[in-house]
Amino acid sequence: MCGITGLFAFTDTGRNALASLPASTDAIISRGPDSQGHFVYDRCGLGFRRLAILDLSADGNQPMTDESGRYTIVFNGEIFNFRELRQRLMNKGYQFHSQTDTEVILRLYITEGRGFLKKLNGFFGLAIYDKEEDSLFIARDRMGEKPVLVYRDEDKFMFASEMKSLMALGIPRKLDYVALSHYLQLNYIPGPATIFKGVKKLLPGHYLYIKGKKVVRKRWYKIPYDPKKVEKNKLSYEQQQAKLVNLLDDATARRLVADVPLGAFLSGGIDSSVIVALASRHTEHLNTFSIGYRDEPFFDETKYAKLVADKYKTNHTVFSLSNQDLYDHIFEVLDYIDEPFADSSALAVYILSKRTREKVTVALSGDGADEMFAGYNKHMGEFQVRKGGFKAEAVTGLNLLWDILPKSRNSFFGNRVRQFQRFSRGMLSGPKDRYWDWASFASAADARGLLSAEARRKVGKKLAEKRRKDILENLHAQGDLNEVLLTDMQLVLPYDMLTKVDLMSMANSLEVRPPFLDPNVVRFAFSLPVESKIDANMKKRIVQDAFRPMLPEELYKRPKHGFEVPLLKWFRAELRPLIEDDLLSDAFVEAQGIFDLNAVRALKTQLFSRSPGDVHARIWALIVFQHWWKRYMMASVPQVASSTL
């Protein structure tokens, strides 16, 4: 696993930025603490940091240049089928100088051009410079497991694995207020936008080709969902289960190749338990790791993880955290985040990754299953809305009651009231509005209301609506739940779940590999009808049924609690001074000028009330943003953005 950065100058002024390439590479040292490298030729500069996963020969280091000296590559990721691809190329007479997937990628590009990407099974961000053609090729993997950020102005084009690399290269730091408004709704920023004007996220399954001053963007991969083909799926439910087991077993086996200690996250949920069960077929005494909350038994699922660990005789380690442990790590997380990102479970993932990294370098995870196979409560809600009937109508009929009763994520009763209220609201909406509402912690009006009058004027309503429309393009009034899952794969998965895992694991130099996101598994998942994934009694139906013989029965007799940090008590105790005296103090908010002081006060009042609802998530979003602002904006020199990307 690695980190990459680089630039392609259009003018002599742009070439001046090449001097900052070493600083840009140093900024992502945690992504590659084992080695680094640089390549500079004329207008192009490439930087690289490496975390050793395989025992590579010395000439496998990056940047890597082919024997002709024409092509040079920097590559961040893992290609799990590179040995097969390498052998096919050798059968055609090509010779290799290392045992690396990097050299295979470079050779494929040389021999097959940009279409080679479709042959790769893995995750990646990569850049290849062609000296003879004087062009730069940049690509991102199918699902967006590895990040690629890009910036262009009149003088240069720049890219990097993380925003801090681009800041080291000198990007202008000017807020994108539309992105900020979406952040205040979702607690993360959906691509292609970032917090800075002019900086974009290269979308999953896309590439860029730069030559001269022309930048060509193309989508090379799209999730293969065709509702007509789904209707014609002739496999029986039993055959579907058998095929899922085989595909996921193959995907898991591929991701077990490493010359370093390897393990798996084991939360106690179905998805991670499935991966551990399959990995144990191929590895004896697998290392497994769980995280629990000593002070918060409602969130602690380690007893279920232990059942799986005992069944498969894994070398199991439990990290039992107190609220003090969370507090002790909060500023490590906040300091690493270089773009506002407020999924609070990132804190737990950070600690899990940090502790896991003490024992292994690679960990498997169960990420992606919920989005593909309908594992979230909102999916059951969507199923019930579309199904209708007496129960759904009864919940909606009690709207006034849900408004009155106290709501909180931190108790069973309060959480159920919160869910009923959101469901009731969704019953009265169309599929697009309902999806956005259920994905959000705040409405668009609430997010705008949180901004100061001056900041509100900077939120372009047309641009905000266009970005929202692009995100929801796959949802139709006559569609089915698979369209909701497809939208999750293009919003929630890359910009929340995978961003969280990538940031927090890379902060600790740990590589995480999710077998569910193997392209063969994804293709199969979106060939299945909705009834294979969810019914009135079960979310993620095919996953639960297919692997039931492999898992302890106790896993099927409990509600899904999720991987969530208990923020509410924390804000009311240890972190209260941070809210009242520092980041959300009246003095700081007023001096900063971005947020409306009275709106922030109202959120704080709700936080300490008996009916906090989801307000702690909104408070956390503000804390993350304020810390980021202090770190990256207060010390920066104001600049005027002139991006043309």
Side-chain angles (χ1 to χ4, degrees):
M1 188 54 60
C2 317
I4 61 174
T5 183
L7 66 94
F8 188 82
F10 302 140
T11 66
D12 288 339
T13 300
R15 283 183 172 86
N16 294 335
L18 288 167
S20 299
L21 187 62
S24 177
T25 307
D26 289 343
I28 50 174
I29 187 172
S30 67
R31 286 184 175 267
D34 295 331
S35 65
Q36 66 174 313
H38 301 94
F39 165 87
V40 177
Y41 178 82
D42 191 22
R43 71 164 83 197
C44 182
L46 304 176
F48 173 77
R49 299 238 36 142
R50 175 182 168 224
L51 169 65
I53 300 299
L54 295 171
D55 183 15
L56 307 178
S57 58
D59 56 0
N61 288 328
Q62 297 185 46
M64 178 184 288
T65 301
D66 78 309
E67 63 273 12
S68 73
R70 175 176 172 178
Y71 300 94
T72 301
I73 183 174
V74 286
F75 162 69
N76 166 31
E78 297 291 335
I79 305 303
F80 302 113
N81 64 334
F82 84 92
R83 287 181 172 82
E84 299 101 289
L85 296 172
R86 184 177 187 271
Q87 187 59 53
R88 292 176 196 170
L89 288 168
M90 290 177 66
N91 292 343
K92 294 179 180 180
Y94 295 108
Q95 296 183 342
F96 288 85
H97 304 285
S98 73
Q99 300 294 320
T100 68
D101 51 1
T102 305
E103 189 177 6
V104 172
I105 292 170
L106 187 57
R107 176 55 60 185
L108 284 170
Y109 181 72
I110 294 169
T111 58
E112 301 183 19
R114 304 168 215 171
F116 84 95
L117 293 168
K118 295 180 180 180
K119 293 186 175 182
L120 305 182
N121 184 326
F123 48 79
F124 54 85
L126 60 87
I128 301 174
Y129 176 65
D130 182 340
K131 185 185 296 185
E132 182 176 309
E133 194 177 70
D134 195 21
S135 65
L136 185 64
F137 175 75
I138 300 173
R140 191 178 183 194
D141 65 69
R142 293 171 176 84
M143 296 297 114
E145 294 179 61
K146 290 291 105 182
V148 178
L149 301 173
V150 297
Y151 171 83
R152 178 191 178 184
D153 60 25
E154 291 298 321
D155 297 306
K156 58 193 174 297
F157 180 97
M158 304 189 296
F159 69 91
S161 296
E162 293 188 14
M163 189 73 77
K164 56 178 67 75
S165 271
L166 291 182
M167 285 190 272
L169 287 172
I171 58 167
R173 305 183 194 185
K174 186 174 182 180
L175 283 185
D176 181 330
Y177 281 88
V178 171
L180 175 58
S181 70
H182 284 161
Y183 167 77
L184 293 174
Q185 294 171 61
L186 300 169
N187 281 20
Y188 55 89
I189 298 173
T194 73
I195 195 61
F196 290 134
K197 281 188 175 181
V199 180
K200 304 296 182 185
K201 300 178 178 86
L202 180 60
L203 294 175
H206 283 67
Y207 72 69
L208 298 172
Y209 176 75
I210 304 110
K211 185 176 181 181
K213 280 195 172 185
K214 186 177 181 180
V215 179
V216 176
R217 180 189 292 107
K218 185 173 181 180
R219 186 174 192 170
W220 66 270
Y221 173 81
K222 183 178 182 180
I223 292 175
Y225 172 62
D226 184 338
K228 293 182 180 179
K229 290 184 178 180
V230 171
E231 289 179 4
K232 297 177 182 179
N233 190 320
K234 296 181 180 180
L235 294 178
S236 68
Y237 185 54
E238 290 71 23
Q239 290 172 324
Q240 292 171 17
Q241 292 178 61
K243 187 170 182 178
L244 176 60
V245 171
N246 289 335
L247 288 173
L248 195 55
D249 182 64
D250 179 67
T252 302
R254 284 184 181 275
R255 284 155 180 79
L256 287 169
V257 177
D259 293 330
V260 293
L262 183 146
F265 294 155
L266 181 56
S267 69
I270 294 293
D271 307 332
S272 62
S273 299
V274 164
I275 298 305
V276 167
L278 293 175
S280 296
R281 289 178 166 185
H282 307 282
T283 302
E284 292 186 1
H285 305 299
L286 180 73
N287 297 299
T288 55
F289 306 92
S290 297
I291 196 168
Y293 303 105
R294 286 201 302 272
D295 299 338
E296 304 291 340
F298 180 75
F299 293 102
D300 196 309
E301 300 183 315
T302 53
K303 66 179 180 180
Y304 300 105
K306 188 175 186 303
L307 291 172
V308 178
D310 289 345
K311 180 178 178 66
Y312 289 100
K313 297 180 174 58
T314 69
N315 297 322
H316 191 54
T317 303
V318 176
F319 308 121
S320 184
L321 305 180
S322 66
N323 284 346
Q324 185 62 43
D325 292 320
L326 297 172
Y327 182 81
D328 290 343
H329 288 85
I330 180 174
F331 290 103
E332 293 178 33
V333 172
L334 291 176
D335 285 344
Y336 192 81
I337 293 172
D338 55 11
E339 177 183 61
F341 177 79
D343 183 332
S344 62
S345 63
L347 181 58
V349 176
Y350 177 87
I351 299 173
L352 176 61
S353 297
K354 183 176 183 179
R355 302 282 179 86
T356 298
R357 183 61 176 88
E358 294 171 358
K359 299 192 176 185
V360 302
T361 309
V362 176
L364 305 188
S365 79
D367 292 300
D370 285 323
E371 289 80 7
M372 286 190 291
F373 295 104
Y376 294 129
N377 287 332
K378 68 176 183 180
H379 296 145
M380 181 58 77
E382 184 69 25
F383 178 85
Q384 296 291 354
V385 166
R386 291 169 182 257
K387 179 183 176 184
F390 172 75
K391 290 183 179 180
E393 293 174 3
V395 171
T396 304
L398 295 173
N399 255 336
L400 292 177
L401 180 62
W402 311 137
D403 290 341
I404 295 170
L405 290 174
K407 293 164 280 292
S408 171
R409 283 180 177 267
N410 282 57
S411 71
F412 176 79
F413 178 76
N415 196 40
R416 291 295 285 175
V417 173
R418 184 189 66 84
Q419 291 171 341
F420 283 145
Q421 184 187 53
R422 288 171 69 85
F423 178 83
S424 177
R425 194 165 62 228
M427 280 284 290
L428 305 175
S429 305
K432 293 180 185 289
D433 288 339
R434 181 168 57 247
Y435 181 93
W436 190 262
D437 180 34
W438 287 357
S440 302
F441 289 96
S443 68
D446 287 340
R448 286 177 59 83
L450 195 53
L451 296 172
S452 68
E454 182 180 355
R456 282 197 298 273
R457 287 192 291 269
K458 297 178 181 178
V459 179
K461 290 184 179 180
K462 289 185 179 180
L463 180 57
E465 183 54 34
K466 181 185 183 303
R467 290 182 184 176
R468 179 181 179 273
K469 184 179 179 180
D470 290 344
I471 292 167
L472 304 176
E473 65 177 351
N474 291 306
L475 294 171
H476 304 92
Q478 304 304 317
D480 64 17
L481 190 64
N482 265 320
E483 291 185 347
V484 174
L485 303 182
L486 184 63
T487 305
D488 276 354
M489 294 292 285
Q490 295 175 345
L491 173 67
V492 179
L493 184 69
Y495 304 119
D496 185 359
M497 300 305 170
L498 293 180
T499 294
K500 172 178 61 183
V501 172
D502 178 75
L503 279 174
M504 298 300 98
S505 62
M506 286 292 94
N508 294 286
S509 304
L510 177 74
E511 178 181 308
V512 177
R513 301 175 177 178
F516 274 104
L517 295 182
D518 184 281
N520 297 320
V521 177
V522 174
R523 182 185 305 110
F524 175 68
F526 282 93
S527 74
L528 297 175
V530 170
E531 55 266 25
S532 295
K533 300 179 180 182
I534 191 169
D535 61 21
N537 300 309
M538 188 184 298
K539 302 188 296 291
K540 217 156 41 186
R541 179 180 174 229
I542 190 171
V543 177
Q544 299 208 47
D545 286 345
F547 295 95
R548 185 180 287 270
M550 301 184 193
L551 301 178
E553 189 61 29
E554 290 86 344
L555 268 63
Y556 292 83
K557 300 177 180 178
R558 65 184 185 90
K560 178 184 176 71
H561 284 168
F563 198 46
E564 190 169 340
V565 174
L567 286 172
L568 190 59
K569 289 183 180 179
W570 194 24
F571 286 156
R572 290 174 171 178
E574 292 93 339
L575 279 185
R576 188 160 185 164
L578 190 66
I579 294 171
E580 296 189 330
D581 303 326
D582 187 5
L583 297 179
L584 298 185
S585 68
D586 287 2
F588 183 69
V589 171
E590 197 165 24
Q592 181 188 35
I594 293 178
F595 300 108
D596 181 87
L597 181 58
N598 290 328
V600 173
R601 285 174 174 170
L603 284 184
K604 291 192 288 186
T605 298
Q606 186 181 350
L607 177 68
F608 300 117
S609 73
R610 63 185 292 268
S611 183
D614 281 334
V615 74
H616 61 283
R618 299 185 65 193
I619 292 287
W620 178 244
L622 287 174
I623 288 174
V624 171
F625 181 86
Q626 297 294 74
H627 185 88
W628 173 86
W629 173 270
K630 270 191 169 183
R631 184 173 177 83
Y632 292 108
M633 299 300 285
M634 288 183 68
S636 69
V637 177
Q639 301 176 65
V640 178
S642 58
S643 170
T644 57
L645 184 66

